[in-house]
Amino acid sequence: MDIPRIFNITESAHRIHNPFTTEKFATLGAALRLEPEDRVLDLGSGSGEMLCTWARDHGIVGTGIDMSPLFTEQAKQRAEELGVTDQVQFIHNDAAGYISDERVDVAACVGATWIGGGVAGTIELLARSLRADGIILIGEPYWRQWPPTEDIAKGCLANAISDFLVLPELVASFGRLGYDVVEMVLANQDGWDRYEAAKWLTMRRWLEANPDDVLAQEVQSKLASEPERHAAYTREYLGWGVFALMPRLRLKQV
Ligand code: SAH
């Protein structure tokens, strides 16, 4: 079981597979007021940077599930490097439908909400692993500027404008699902560059090492077109953030 090979090629050198940076994850960890021994579940944990650094910095314990064997292996190595192997475990599996045995304090899906069939389905899935007053984390794109045409949405690698909302609407949509947004940390254009531009050098080096690979032509043409596509579309039109959610309380009427 694996994700499409092109991602394992283009993102092989990424520690973070989304427009967040080390600093943004540190900001988010502090914002959530994590306590030692807090349990964190991460669906689509990638190379494990969030869980590993929070284990080091906040003493959390956690489990990450990811479908890429390469990223899962890198996550385990990162846990070794940071000396947190007794706090975090990484499982190579499809996270669709995954529910933890023990309820967790934080249940996250950061940049992989297709796992639950979209934002609403992923929130529902995560809620089944969450203790009553726990926090759900959703990492999701939004339109930083409304794209004037469908072609511009496609330039951002969306299928259609309707794939994403603008930020106020995304935030309001969590409310309609019965959740309060209790924190949020947003990526910025520098973060997009770290995610997208870091792929270019990786592709260039991969091509040099693998000129006869069946994907060499595809990687070559991506390398030739991606910088302009990113500069014209993703960097300008797409925002991205992590939203911390708690079920809205029902207060007694007085
Ligand atoms: N949360 C990570 C990775 C985000 S990228 C980070 O912030 O770095 C999306 C991740 O989802 C990739 O690591 C990919 O391998 C993983 N993925 C895709 N489909 C999946 C599935 N069905 N189950 C588990 N992981 C999946």
Side-chain angles (χ1 to χ4, degrees):
M1 177 194 313
D2 204 346
I3 57 172
R5 186 165 165 247
I6 188 72
F7 297 111
N8 287 320
I9 294 171
T10 58
E11 298 188 28
S12 65
H14 284 54
R15 268 196 190 138
I16 299 169
H17 304 265
N18 66 54
F20 251 28
T21 56
T22 310
E23 294 76 26
K24 292 285 180 181
F25 270 129
T27 300
L28 179 62
L32 295 175
R33 306 171 203 174
L34 296 166
E35 300 278 349
E37 308 294 318
D38 275 358
R39 276 197 301 275
V40 182
L41 173 69
D42 190 11
L43 303 187
S45 43
S47 300
E49 192 68 2
M50 182 179 86
L51 286 182
C52 289
T53 54
W54 287 359
R56 178 194 62 192
D57 299 341
H58 300 284
I60 61 108
V61 296
T63 299
I65 326 279
D66 199 280
M67 208 154 91
S68 163
L70 173 69
F71 298 167
T72 307
E73 191 47 43
Q74 291 179 163
K76 289 177 184 173
Q77 275 172 21
R78 189 68 176 142
E80 297 258 354
E81 268 169 34
L82 298 188
V84 294
T85 49
D86 53 350
Q87 287 162 264
V88 293
Q89 55 163 343
F90 292 99
I91 301 168
H92 169 232
N93 212 338
D94 188 341
Y98 184 90
I99 297 160
S100 61
D101 296 336
E102 250 184 304
R103 298 250 168 188
V104 299
D105 303 284
V106 177
C109 182
V110 176
T113 51
W114 57 85
I115 285 172
V119 170
T122 298
I123 291 174
E124 245 173 69
L125 174 62
L126 293 171
R128 298 175 69 182
S129 296
L130 194 71
R131 73 173 165 82
D133 52 351
I135 291 179
I136 287 178
L137 296 180
I138 293 287
E140 186 70 4
Y142 56 87
W143 293 122
R144 188 172 162 263
Q145 296 179 51
W146 189 252
T149 65
E150 289 291 344
D151 279 349
I152 288 177
K154 289 195 170 72
C156 299
L157 306 183
N159 292 310
I161 296 175
S162 59
D163 279 10
F164 306 124
L165 302 169
V166 291
L167 182 58
E169 282 176 16
L170 178 58
V171 167
S173 75
F174 296 124
R176 285 194 294 274
L177 295 170
Y179 286 84
D180 288 319
V181 178
V182 297
E183 257 294 357
M184 72 176 190
V185 177
L186 303 182
N188 58 28
Q189 288 171 303
D190 291 340
W192 270 118
D193 295 342
R194 284 311 79 236
Y195 177 47
E196 294 294 339
K199 297 174 190 174
W200 309 337
L201 182 56
T202 303
M203 288 196 276
R204 180 61 177 72
R205 295 216 162 132
W206 181 89
L207 277 171
E208 210 153 299
N210 301 275
D212 302 323
D213 192 281
V214 288
L215 289 187
Q217 291 297 337
E218 181 181 337
V219 171
Q220 172 85 284
S221 72
K222 252 192 203 304
L223 177 57
S225 59
E226 276 293 287
E228 187 181 349
R229 186 199 63 74
H230 169 64
Y233 300 115
T234 303
R235 194 174 202 282
E236 287 308 308
Y237 288 94
L238 217 49
W240 197 91
V242 178
F243 304 88
L245 314 173
M246 293 176 81
R248 191 158 282 164
L249 289 171
R250 278 174 215 224
L251 301 180
K252 269 194 231 140
Q253 297 294 332
V254 285

